[in-house]
């Protein structure tokens, strides 16, 4: 029987178990590489940076949704926003975004949004910050959120 509410987890890479690393990477590959048909280097070296925070929801031992927060010096960056197909429509990614923004501690936050999701990110205070571009065959737009 599934839990009533999935559990929100946050950890730095060094604190993740091998099983958690596998589950997070598996979800991201399932969404970005397989579902979106974008063969690209998913493991880009940023996951293991000491300041990177991984956030995810899990339920019954499965990762349902994930994001990561990167330290880019004066700014933070949120990326790798992914939700498993069976968990979509539950607001999990939105809750992760809210928590990720909170963890950015009043710093500006940037992200590269898939262009069709620009309006979704605007709900969290992100605004277009430059011209669109194509990454891995998918139109993207740069976005930035100033601290409240």
């Amino acid at each position: 029987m599934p839990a009533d509410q999935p559990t929100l987890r946050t950890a730095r890479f060094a604190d993740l178990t091998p099983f958690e690393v596998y589950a997070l990477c598996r979800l991201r590959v399932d969404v970005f590489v397989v579902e979106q048909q974008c063969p690209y280097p998913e493991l880009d070296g940023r996951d293991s940076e000491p300041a990177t925070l991984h956030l995810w929801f899990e339920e019954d031992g499965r990762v349902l949704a994930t994001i990561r927060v990167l330290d880019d010096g004066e700014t933070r960056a949120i990326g790798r926003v992914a939700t498993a197909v069976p968990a979509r429509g539950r607001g999990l990614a939105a809750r992760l975004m809210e928590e990720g923004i909170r963890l950015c501690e009043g710093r500006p936050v940037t992200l590269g949004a898939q262009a069709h999701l620009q309006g979704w990110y605007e709900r969290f205070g992100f605004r277009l910050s430059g011209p669109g571009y194509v990454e891995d065959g998918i139109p993207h737009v740069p976005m930035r959120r100033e601290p409240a």
Side-chain angles (χ1 to χ4, degrees), residues 1-2 4 10 24 42 67 95 99 116 127-129 134:
M1 169 182 289
D4 290 337
T10 303
L24 293 170
E42 169 52 28
I67 69 171
R95 290 170 54 198
E99 180 65 9
H116 72 279
R127 298 293 173 252
L128 193 63
S129 61
V134 175

Side-chain angles (χ1 to χ4, degrees), residues 54-75:
H54 298 272
L55 289 76
W56 72 99
F57 277 109
E58 67 180 39
E59 183 176 74
D60 297 329
R62 293 174 296 126
V63 173
L64 303 178
T66 186
I67 69 171
R68 70 179 182 184
V69 178
L70 305 173
D71 183 341
D72 284 342
E74 294 299 313
T75 64

Side-chain angles (χ1 to χ4, degrees), residues 22-144:
Y22 177 86
L24 293 170
C25 290
R26 174 68 190 258
L27 174 59
R28 291 174 5 189
V29 167
D30 284 351
V31 171
F32 301 124
V33 178
V34 177
E35 179 184 338
Q36 296 181 359
Q37 300 178 358
C38 293
Y40 75 104
E42 169 52 28
L43 301 176
D44 62 358
R46 304 267 349 239
D47 289 311
S48 60
E49 292 175 358
T52 296
L53 289 171
H54 298 272
L55 289 76
W56 72 99
F57 277 109
E58 67 180 39
E59 183 176 74
D60 297 329
R62 293 174 296 126
V63 173
L64 303 178
T66 186
I67 69 171
R68 70 179 182 184
V69 178
L70 305 173
D71 183 341
D72 284 342
E74 294 299 313
T75 64
R76 299 294 180 262
I78 292 178
R80 299 299 204 265
V81 180
T83 303
V85 173
R88 292 182 184 162
R90 295 173 59 181
L92 299 176
R95 290 170 54 198
L96 288 173
M97 286 298 297
E98 290 164 355
E99 180 65 9
I101 291 166
R102 187 188 71 74
L103 292 172
C104 290
E105 302 171 336
R107 287 190 160 77
V109 183
T110 63
L111 56 81
Q114 291 185 7
H116 72 279
L117 294 172
Q118 178 179 340
W120 188 78
Y121 287 108
E122 287 173 344
R123 293 176 26 194
F124 305 100
F126 286 90
R127 298 293 173 252
L128 193 63
S129 61
Y133 57 96
V134 175
E135 183 175 305
D136 300 313
I138 297 176
H140 283 68
V141 291
M143 300 188 80
R144 182 178 172 105

